[in-house]
Amino acid sequence: AAKAAGRNQFRYFTRFMQEEAHRRLHLRRELRKALRRGQLYVHFQPVVDLRSHRIAKAEALLRWRHPKLGAVSPAEFIPLAEESGLINAIGDWVFMQAAPWSRRWGAQTGQPFQISVNRSPVQFLSKQNSPDWLTYLDKLGLPGNSISVEITESVLLNATSLVAETLLQYRDAGIQVALDDFGTGYSSMAYLQRFDIDYLKIDQSFVRDIETNAGSRAIAESIIVMAHRLGLKVIAEGIETAGQYAILDAAGCDYGQGYLFSRPVPPDEFEQLLASVPAQGGSGAAGRLHFR
Ligand code: C2E
Ligand code: MG
Ligand code: MG
Ligand code: MG
């Protein structure tokens, strides 16, 4: 009986793998058509100044709504887009959708408004990619610091001359660089010195249990101290509770993102949020985000 059960389990497992492989194949095919069919959207999540409770900037996050499959998570489809190289076209599209909002929201708030865009390691492999972003910003008449580019540690780990060159172009153009998911990769301290990084984003896995896990708290607090000693600003990801916020604020963390403040929302909703909460630098207590 045990043997039969094992066999059944194996069959079940095999079928599961086949279904998974089939879904991936299907998604990859559908994703190729998604742009053309208008199924992709960009949402924006506020990055909040933890001291003033004001919206400091926004991260652009890609969304895919498929008519039959419904919403597909970027965690599932971004890796597929990376495998197929489609991330180059999609990533450029996200950038071109997101950047113009910097001008609009800058005008709305009366000061420069930075939009942060994720850039996959794959997007650093092709030569012509980054000058295109600079040219596009130029065409929009936007200064480089309208944009910050979020990269992961893996980009820096085996940084080719192309990566180094691209990061230098960013620096010369004033585009800022954020190191995403910090603490989960290789977290080599050397590249923090070698490259011009402006922000460290503490990965949400440390924030999630920061109230109950002394280790996670120690790591988060150490990242903040180290970043500040190196002259970098820190953004904590995935803040969901007032308790998490309080610990990070007390530790001197500069900015935070998370459901406690707002989920990623469509641009029109973001604009309403921004209208109800003056952006960084506005005066007076009115209009602050109330989350405590
Ligand atoms: P990421 O860049 O680290 O983005 C943060 C993720 O955390 C987002 O997931 C966001 O919705 C989620 N998040 C924000 N606040 C909270 C919170 O309080 N609790 C929890 N549980 N989650 C929170 P999302 O939008 O599903 O994106 C997942 C990943 O997909 C991103 O991680 C990024 O690596 C990638 N991605 C998304 N859009 C793009 C894009 O345009 N280009 C590239 N290359 N990658 C993208
Ligand atoms: Mg990011
Ligand atoms: Mg810089
Ligand atoms: Mg992250």
Side-chain angles (χ1 to χ4, degrees):
K3 212 169 171 184
R7 210 156 42 226
N8 277 338
Q9 233 167 41
F10 181 72
R11 263 196 217 120
Y12 176 78
F13 183 63
T14 309
R15 217 180 110 207
F16 174 77
M17 297 228 303
Q18 282 169 346
E19 280 168 8
E20 281 292 288
H22 184 258
R23 178 174 163 90
R24 275 199 298 274
L25 202 68
H26 184 54
L27 286 179
R28 203 170 296 155
R29 264 201 300 264
E30 291 299 297
L31 189 56
R32 224 175 291 141
K33 298 175 267 185
L35 241 184
R36 211 168 350 105
R37 296 183 171 169
Q39 297 168 0
L40 299 183
Y41 307 86
V42 179
H43 282 189
F44 294 89
Q45 186 178 40
V47 177
V48 176
D49 182 310
L50 295 186
R51 210 93 337 99
S52 69
H53 300 192
R54 290 174 196 287
I55 297 176
K57 51 183 186 167
E59 178 175 7
L61 291 158
L62 183 57
R63 295 291 175 260
W64 180 17
R65 182 166 289 282
H66 185 278
K68 291 218 179 69
L69 301 165
V72 185
S73 161
E76 186 173 15
F77 72 79
I78 293 283
L80 299 180
E82 289 176 335
E83 280 167 30
S84 66
L86 199 60
I87 191 66
N88 285 303
I90 291 179
D92 285 347
W93 182 83
V94 170
F95 175 75
M96 293 172 97
Q97 292 294 306
W101 293 102
S102 168
R103 194 217 304 269
R104 183 172 168 102
W105 293 334
Q108 185 180 335
T109 58
Q111 54 211 311
F113 192 89
Q114 190 176 72
I115 305 278
S116 169
V117 179
N118 292 283
R119 188 172 169 103
S120 146
V122 175
Q123 292 173 272
F124 283 90
L125 299 178
S126 104
K127 180 116 193 158
Q128 80 185 78
N129 235 312
S130 70
D132 284 354
W133 287 25
L134 302 182
T135 310
Y136 185 66
L137 281 184
D138 230 36
K139 221 164 65 186
L140 292 176
L142 283 170
N145 63 8
S146 314
I147 298 296
S148 79
V149 173
E150 301 199 359
I151 61 176
T152 52
E153 296 169 68
S154 62
V155 171
L156 304 180
L157 184 68
N158 293 308
T160 60
S161 58
L162 200 54
V163 168
E165 199 183 303
T166 305
L167 292 177
L168 282 175
Q169 281 173 343
Y170 288 166
R171 192 188 65 188
D172 292 345
I175 291 179
Q176 295 201 300
V177 176
L179 211 44
D180 210 343
D181 307 334
F182 189 77
T184 57
Y186 304 89
S187 303
S188 157
M189 306 298 144
Y191 56 52
L192 294 180
Q193 266 190 309
R194 192 139 47 92
F195 299 102
D196 189 37
I197 310 291
D198 299 286
Y199 304 95
L200 288 191
K201 299 191 74 169
I202 301 178
D203 189 69
Q204 39 185 292
S205 59
F206 302 115
V207 175
R208 191 174 302 129
D209 59 0
I210 199 168
E211 292 170 278
T212 50
N213 185 324
S216 293
R217 182 169 177 167
I219 289 172
E221 289 173 347
S222 306
I223 291 175
I224 293 165
V225 170
M226 177 193 63
H228 285 166
R229 297 271 323 252
L230 291 169
L232 315 182
K233 299 281 191 198
V234 184
I235 304 170
E237 306 189 273
I239 302 179
E240 295 185 356
T241 71
Q244 293 164 349
Y245 160 76
I247 290 172
L248 288 159
D249 185 38
C253 186
D254 305 280
Y255 304 101
Q257 265 173 276
Y259 299 165
L260 178 66
F261 314 118
S262 168
R263 287 177 179 266
V265 293
D268 55 329
E269 254 179 76
F270 187 87
E271 197 158 308
Q272 284 166 24
L273 195 65
L274 203 54
S276 67
V277 183
Q280 200 62 17
S283 57
R288 289 169 170 219
L289 277 178
H290 292 292
F291 48 81
R292 274 202 284 195

